Amino acid sequence: MANEKARQLPQQDGAAYEVARDVLLQLIGHAANRASAGEEEWAEKRDRWALKLNTLRPEDTDAVREVLDREASVLKSITEGLGQ
């Protein structure tokens, strides 16, 4: 039983990492669109998210968790705003 749980953890970490990458990619895409429309503050956000994406590693669970906690809520607010 414990051995089975140990095998599941890396898979869960890997899934969380993939979701975190997807969140960052969506944020970068949105920011790139806004930056190309002349909104300079979005260029800074795009660069910050690109740096996070480039340095994010699956084994860095704290960084992955931060993206899922903080940046996913930013993405949610952006997508909710687009739906209005």
Side-chain angles (χ1 to χ4, degrees), residues 32-51:
N33 287 338
R34 300 283 296 264
S36 68
E39 299 179 51
E40 191 57 38
E41 69 273 8
W42 284 94
E44 293 172 12
K45 291 178 183 183
R46 178 201 56 214
D47 294 345
R48 182 173 55 85
W49 288 322
L51 179 61

Side-chain angles (χ1 to χ4, degrees), residues 6 16 18 27 30 32 34 39-40 42 49 60 62 66 76:
E18 291 300 324
L27 287 169
H30 179 77
R34 300 283 296 264
E39 299 179 51
E40 191 57 38
W42 284 94
W49 288 322
D60 188 352
D62 290 337
E66 179 188 347
K76 181 180 179 187

Side-chain angles (χ1 to χ4, degrees), residues 9-27:
L9 290 177
Q11 292 172 348
Q12 291 171 352
D13 288 347
Y17 169 75
E18 291 300 324
V19 171
R21 283 188 76 245
D22 186 54
V23 165
L24 290 170
L25 287 168
Q26 290 183 56
L27 287 169

